[in-house]
Amino acid sequence: MTSPHTTRFPISGPPDPRGPVRRDGLALEVARLEAAPQRIGFVLVPGFAMLAYACAVEPFRAANDLAGMVLYQWIHISPDGQPVRASNGVSIVADQGTGRPAQVDALFVCAGGNPAEFEDPATLAWLRAEAARGIRIGGVSGGPHILARAGLLAGYRCTAHWEYIPAMMERFPNLTLTRSLYEVDRDRCTSSGGTAALDMMVALIEAAHGRPLARAVAEWFLHTRPRAGDEPQRMSLRERYDIGHPNLLAALAQMERAIENPVPREALAEHAGLSVRQLERLFRSHLGRTIGAHYLGLRLDHARRLLQQTALSVLEVAMACGFVSAAHFSRAYAARFGRSPRQDRGGTLPGSKRQRAMPAEGA
């Protein structure tokens, strides 16, 4: 990919042959702006999610094309200044490394995979130095996890992809962490990843250049309903399981709320307004498994995320998922995943639980 300084309009495809789009006076309104283009840096962490990155950078390209002028310029930054490979194997050429200041107005850290495995104190220190200049700092997908490790989200409302949230809550218990699509809190911007990055960038374009341009950008990408930041990341239980039985949905919701302290079948049935026999029949007919099997699967899936993304011991993970002993947990885990919990440990995260509660690494 080319960097914006190599062409007047940084694009990933040919410019619109119609020229600047005039919709609701858009081109005339934007043309009156005299501010210099906003300079944006994308910090690409090896294994970053290509979809989330594309949804973050492409709205700025579209804003330039639609406005008929350069409103945004951007560069790519990697920890070592070398090309950086996304999780799908595609590499992006970096304009610079983290050995020198970026000379930008905003930075967005793009990460994916397991950001807890990223071990580079120099990059974390560089991010803190950039933030000290007062620029906007953001994270996309796994990026918020890295910003939290750098100590840059303390005192800010933030979000992350739903798969990263349990580990972040364990490791950074003092964060104001939400499950929103995206959060913009003063000079911090965090997106949960995927297409949520598109929603966040459209919101930032609207704040800088008005709603007509932002709506035109969204429509350019066939995104006919830009979502608000506080909308949920995940489908509703009704959509996720493709069921509509209200009593069964009530039981499923109760299960997902009580992972650490599992609710007995009798209490689940009472909450759902059914007998245990009726609830078991609903689970078998709609989900093809028993109450116990489904609940165990939820707890083990949660355990796997904690194992791969935190430094919690196997016993601590077992307790966080409602198991009374590490031995029982290990047997159940191996039966579900074909691997022991120790074999599924992720990364080389050092330290005890006390260390994990510290607000930042290397601060």
Side-chain angles (χ1 to χ4, degrees), residues 107-110 137-144 147 159 189-193 200:
L107 276 174
F108 292 96
V109 179
C110 300
I137 299 287
V140 174
S141 191
L147 295 183
T159 190
C189 305
T190 49
S191 163
S192 54
M200 184 171 78

Side-chain angles (χ1 to χ4, degrees), residues 6 11 18-19 32 35 65 71 106 134 145 149 154 187 205 217 219 221 229 262-263 277 283 303 319 348 354 362:
T6 63
I11 55 176
R18 300 170 298 174
R32 287 196 292 268
D65 282 351
L71 301 175
H145 193 291
R149 292 174 62 190
D187 57 354
I205 290 170
V217 168
E219 190 175 40
F221 295 112
V263 178
R277 178 176 295 181
F283 266 83
M319 293 175 63
T348 55
R354 178 174 298 178

